[in-house]
Amino acid sequence: MTWGSYGSTREAFEAIVNRHMKDAYFIALGLVGNREDALELSQEAFYRAYKHFDQLNAPEKFFPWFYQILRNLCFSHLRKRKVRRAYAVGAEDSGSGSGEPGSAAMMAGQEAAMAAMPDTFDPEMVAQRNEAKDRLWQAIGQLDEKHREVIVLRHFRNLSYDEMARVLFCNRGTVTSRLYYARKRLKDILNRESGCPTAECSDREPRKGGQK
Amino acid sequence: MTCQDYKDSMMAYLDNELSDEQLRAFEAHLASCPKCTEELEEFRKLKQITDDVELVEPENRLWQQYWGGVYNRIERGIGWVVFSVAGILLLIYGGFTAIENVITDPGISALLKVGLLALLVGLAILFVSVVRERIFFWSKDRYKDVRR
């Protein structure tokens, strides 16, 4: 790469970053649940995209390609965080019991803890908070990867089904099916935690004027 | 069609993504299926709350400094590459100079010189072998362009 082409690539990439930075930040926020990680991971995703930017032959392919980098970074970050937390929980449990570090019982305990562990979402990230919104935000943190991303893309970035199909590299049918199961799971989590059906729960909190 | 077949239509109905024809078919099904009507109502309530959830918009400063954060990473990446290349070049130069000094020094025994040369030849063979293997696998990798 010559310095001239470096300059023009950098300028073109800066324009792309400015165009997509809000999408990148808010998608990362919806996937990982806190501001610092969302900022860090979205900027890191742009940096990784830059390293291979000259190989991208069509500008309209940028966002779906970039989205794959971003979601992989976010989910890999969450998995690492879960492993660290599960290890801490396992170490605590074995400290109070007879398990030794590295024993089969301790490792099984960590795996079980990991499976049951929801991702912690910062409640301060929700605008105009009320109880219903807080519970929903925490419930999104309990969804698995495939379901969480369709909720985030649809509700926080307002992507159409066709746009979602493009960024997820799947067909429309898969998008609608994932949305169905994601919303069903959300409904189940909310019902289980509140002990009341979704209808009653949503009526309990008056809706405050949203910006949408 | 069964209720199961209408699950996807239910989501597209809520999100205004149905074509006119699909909309008519789904509404006709709803009129004759209280179970789907009830489920749709529950999903509608859930969607109301979900639509109400807005994420906090960060202050403008974050957007103004956003490109700076990405640029710093790019700059540091280039810095590391230049630093690594310079380090490797200096190591090679230092290595050659040291070897030259050893070989031309009449005070060092011939056996040590031969041993050192054999060590270097072995390292060179290993290096060429690893590089050739990498290039061979890379050229045969059918998925090398998949990420793009």
Side-chain angles (χ1 to χ4, degrees):
Chain A
M1 190 191 289
T2 62
W3 285 109
S5 72
Y6 165 74
S8 59
T9 305
R10 196 191 59 77
E11 277 167 23
F13 194 73
E14 182 178 354
I16 284 183
V17 170
N18 287 333
R19 192 181 321 143
H20 294 294
M21 64 186 177
K22 289 196 177 185
D23 283 328
Y25 169 79
F26 282 114
I27 288 171
L29 184 57
L31 296 181
V32 300
N34 74 74
R35 176 196 158 110
E36 290 72 26
D37 289 345
L39 183 62
E40 179 83 14
L41 291 163
S42 63
Q43 288 183 330
E44 178 65 22
F46 276 119
Y47 167 59
R48 293 194 183 188
Y50 180 81
K51 288 202 283 187
H52 304 282
F53 183 57
D54 53 347
Q55 294 160 8
L56 189 76
N57 44 25
E60 68 275 10
K61 287 185 185 165
F62 177 80
F63 194 71
W65 173 68
F66 170 76
Y67 175 74
Q68 292 300 314
I69 299 174
L70 179 65
R71 52 112 43 208
N72 289 342
L73 261 178
C74 289
F75 289 132
S76 147
H77 168 80
L78 289 174
R79 277 192 288 268
K80 281 181 202 155
R81 199 167 70 178
K82 260 187 186 178
V83 169
R84 280 197 300 271
R85 284 169 60 204
Y87 187 82
V89 170
E92 241 170 55
D93 288 351
S94 69
S96 58
S98 58
E100 288 179 16
S103 69
M106 182 177 164
M107 283 164 79
Q110 284 163 5
E111 275 174 27
M114 253 180 83
M117 203 177 275
D119 291 314
T120 43
F121 272 32
D122 181 359
E124 296 294 329
M125 291 297 98
V126 176
Q128 298 175 306
R129 291 173 59 190
N130 63 28
E131 194 193 326
K133 289 181 190 179
D134 279 0
R135 283 171 46 243
L136 185 92
W137 178 238
Q138 295 307 323
I140 291 173
Q142 295 184 40
L143 292 176
D144 64 24
E145 296 176 2
K146 274 194 298 189
H147 293 152
R148 191 181 305 178
E149 66 182 339
V150 288
I151 294 290
V152 168
L153 293 173
R154 177 68 203 169
H155 289 287
F156 299 147
R157 296 322 291 155
N158 291 322
L159 260 61
S160 70
Y161 284 15
D162 287 334
E163 288 168 330
M164 285 165 76
R166 270 198 295 279
V167 301
L168 296 171
F169 288 98
C170 64
N171 57 40
R172 244 181 96 99
T174 308
V175 170
T176 45
S177 172
R178 278 191 202 166
L179 260 178
Y180 174 80
Y181 287 105
R183 284 172 171 161
K184 194 166 164 35
R185 176 92 183 103
L186 266 184
K187 205 152 58 79
D188 291 345
I189 294 169
L190 292 172
N191 291 347
R192 189 186 63 215
E193 291 190 347
S194 64
C196 63
T198 318
E200 291 166 33
C201 300
S202 63
D203 290 344
R204 203 167 60 191
E205 282 296 317
R207 288 178 63 186
K208 294 178 185 175
Q211 291 164 13
K212 270 180 191 169
Chain B
M1 280 170 82
T2 64
C3 289
Q4 188 61 37
D5 298 324
Y6 282 105
K7 300 296 181 202
D8 292 350
S9 299
M10 193 180 284
M11 292 303 107
Y13 180 78
L14 282 172
D15 293 320
N16 295 322
E17 290 267 353
L18 284 182
S19 66
D20 290 347
E21 193 185 330
Q22 290 168 324
L23 184 66
R24 275 193 296 275
F26 183 65
E27 284 179 340
H29 172 74
L30 277 184
S32 63
C33 181
K35 204 170 154 230
C36 281
T37 310
E38 190 188 335
E39 192 176 22
L40 176 70
E41 200 44 41
E42 284 181 17
F43 276 122
R44 204 196 297 273
K45 303 262 183 198
L46 175 78
K47 188 172 177 289
Q48 274 178 3
I49 315 173
T50 324
D51 283 347
D52 259 2
V53 174
E54 292 261 340
L55 299 181
V56 171
E57 179 79 28
E59 61 276 23
N60 265 336
R61 196 167 46 89
L62 184 137
W63 303 128
Q64 285 156 6
Q65 294 172 353
Y66 194 92
W67 165 248
V70 177
Y71 183 73
N72 284 342
R73 283 166 198 267
I74 294 172
E75 208 171 47
R76 273 172 218 154
I78 294 170
W80 273 112
V81 170
V82 173
F83 178 78
S84 308
V85 169
I88 290 167
L89 284 176
L90 287 176
L91 271 177
I92 291 172
Y93 177 78
F96 270 113
T97 312
I99 291 160
E100 196 181 9
N101 286 344
V102 168
I103 288 171
T104 53
D105 187 348
I108 294 176
S109 77
L111 191 63
L112 182 62
K113 288 178 185 174
V114 171
L116 189 64
L117 273 176
L119 185 81
L120 288 171
V121 171
L123 270 177
I125 292 171
L126 283 174
F127 180 74
V128 170
S129 170
V130 169
V131 169
R132 197 182 49 206
E133 187 186 55
R134 286 289 167 99
I135 292 171
F136 176 78
F137 280 115
W138 184 82
S139 64
K140 298 278 175 200
D141 182 6
R142 290 159 57 200
Y143 302 105
K144 63 176 183 280
D145 294 323
V146 164
R147 270 179 45 163
R148 298 190 276 281

